[in-house]
Amino acid sequence: MSNYNFPGAVTGVSVFGNRSNTVSFADKKTSPNVMMFGGDEKYLDLNGYTILSGRNLTLQEVRSGQNVCILGYDVAKKFFDEAPNKAVGKSIRINNLPYLVLGVLDSRGSTFGFSRDNMAIIGYRNMAKNFAGSNASYVLAIKVDDINKMNEAMGEAEALFRGVRKIGIKEESNFVLDKSDSRVEEAMNVTSRLRLAAMVIGLVTLFGAAIGLMNIMLVSVAERTKEVGLIKAIGGKSTVVKKQFLLEAVIISVLGAIFGIILGVLVGNSFAIVLGTGFVVPWNWVLYGILICSAVGLLAGLYPAVKAGKLNPIEALRYE
């Protein structure tokens, strides 16, 4: 990337190792699930990492392929409990190879249940020497100082790299260009699809609940036929009877909504605690839930209420 001189751009080289590495210190050892990344001295800046304690890799350490590393917060915390900064300056072993810890990264939490702190960063040349081999796929990262320059920077990078790869004008590129915001867009698309699926499941559930509630109210009308007949016999109007059954249907539906809201908030925030996010109560969806369930109660109770209102008082009193 030394020939790439786009104004205000920061460039770097990195390579992904794998997700099945083991880190050990003294008599402690991690599970074989530590992620390994090889980078240069710009890797932390390009990927948004900050150092909690210690220092970054230097250009000389990267180029010489020295056995030095930067640990993720969770890895350092496993060895040094509540003081992960004590890992700095210690000699650890990564897959049984000795490494000097230069720094510890600040915690970045979890994404979709996967920790972003269970990792180790080494120099990319050290990665090629000890782990990756010659068939590794390298990433050339570029960060511009102005988002409006991104497309221009990508175009210049593509032109430069096509020259490096000696690709003809009519030939397709044998490498991939990827923008950081494309990953965000992919995540948003996944979230949108999940939301749509949840809405479809919710609508099907509401439809089934409405049918169940209507059947319950029809049974209630049948069991209280004499009661309805008595109300009408002493002067009660059909409107009063209809309102009574509609109100009962709405109350049942709203009680179900309240129970579902409480359960949803408790379960949802239990997952939030596990994933390391904040406690959230979606008040707008709480209101939507109550309104929707009230409407479902009205629709489900409408037919039973009309049926109860049309009962003949004399026949109702004789009903067995």
Side-chain angles (χ1 to χ4, degrees):
M1 297 296 288
S2 59
N3 295 326
Y4 185 81
N5 297 313
F6 190 83
V10 178
T11 61
V13 181
S14 64
V15 59
F16 176 66
N18 55 63
R19 300 175 182 269
S20 57
N21 301 282
T22 301
V23 181
S24 58
F25 174 75
D27 59 344
K28 295 182 179 180
K29 181 184 292 187
T30 67
S31 300
N33 61 353
V34 177
M35 292 185 292
M36 178 82 75
F37 294 92
D40 56 13
E41 74 282 2
K42 303 292 182 61
Y43 182 82
L44 300 186
D45 179 32
L46 289 167
N47 290 274
Y49 291 104
T50 56
I51 293 180
L52 174 68
S53 182
R55 65 174 177 84
N56 190 14
L57 298 165
T58 65
L59 178 61
Q60 180 60 33
E61 288 167 340
V62 173
R63 287 182 174 177
S64 61
Q66 294 182 33
N67 283 22
V68 292
C69 70
I70 300 173
L71 293 182
Y73 186 85
D74 285 354
V75 179
K77 186 178 178 181
K78 180 176 180 62
F79 299 136
F80 298 96
D81 299 325
E82 299 303 320
N85 57 301
K86 291 183 179 180
V88 177
K90 298 296 191 299
S91 179
I92 64 169
R93 301 186 73 85
I94 301 177
N95 296 344
N96 290 323
L97 293 176
Y99 278 82
L100 177 66
V101 179
L102 300 179
V104 176
L105 297 176
D106 199 3
S107 177
R108 298 185 68 181
S110 302
T111 302
F112 298 112
F114 295 97
S115 173
R116 293 184 292 175
D117 301 319
N118 190 38
M119 61 181 294
I121 300 172
I122 61 177
Y124 69 89
R125 288 193 174 179
N126 184 271
M127 173 77 79
K129 180 176 67 175
N130 292 335
F131 302 107
S134 59
N135 295 323
S137 179
Y138 286 82
V139 175
L140 305 178
I142 301 169
K143 184 175 77 171
V144 294
D145 56 357
D146 185 352
I147 193 172
N148 295 318
K149 299 179 181 178
M150 184 178 293
N151 291 331
E152 183 182 352
M154 288 183 65
E156 188 167 326
E158 183 177 13
L160 175 63
F161 209 64
R162 285 178 65 88
V164 173
R165 290 290 185 92
K166 296 181 173 57
I167 301 173
I169 297 177
K170 296 183 179 180
E171 295 177 342
E172 293 186 2
S173 298
N174 56 3
F175 55 90
V176 177
L177 288 175
D178 189 19
K179 293 192 296 184
S180 57
D181 58 354
S182 64
R183 298 180 183 179
V184 176
E185 186 177 349
E186 288 176 7
M188 293 299 294
N189 289 335
V190 172
T191 304
S192 298
R193 288 193 288 269
L194 289 174
R195 185 177 298 175
L196 179 61
M199 290 178 65
V200 171
I201 293 171
L203 289 173
V204 173
T205 304
L206 281 174
F207 182 73
I211 294 175
L213 180 58
M214 184 175 66
N215 288 333
I216 291 172
M217 295 308 300
L218 287 172
V219 172
S220 179
V221 170
E223 291 179 346
R224 295 159 61 187
T225 300
K226 283 191 175 182
E227 178 186 332
V228 173
L230 181 61
I231 292 173
K232 287 193 169 185
I234 60 176
K237 297 182 179 180
S238 297
T239 306
V240 175
V241 175
K242 292 177 184 178
K243 287 181 178 179
Q244 179 181 345
F245 280 93
L246 275 177
L247 183 60
E248 289 179 6
V250 171
I251 290 174
I252 293 172
S253 186
V254 171
L255 286 175
I258 293 173
F259 177 77
I261 289 167
I262 294 173
L263 183 62
V265 169
L266 290 176
V267 173
N269 284 287
S270 296
F271 278 103
I273 293 172
V274 173
L275 298 176
T277 59
F279 188 91
V280 177
V281 178
W283 293 109
N284 54 336
W285 286 105
V286 169
L287 179 60
Y288 295 154
I290 292 175
L291 291 176
I292 291 172
C293 287
S294 298
V296 169
L298 282 172
L299 293 174
L302 188 60
Y303 175 67
V306 171
K307 184 176 181 180
K310 289 182 178 180
L311 288 175
N312 186 293
I314 298 175
E315 293 181 358
L317 287 171
R318 290 176 177 175
Y319 180 80
E320 293 294 337

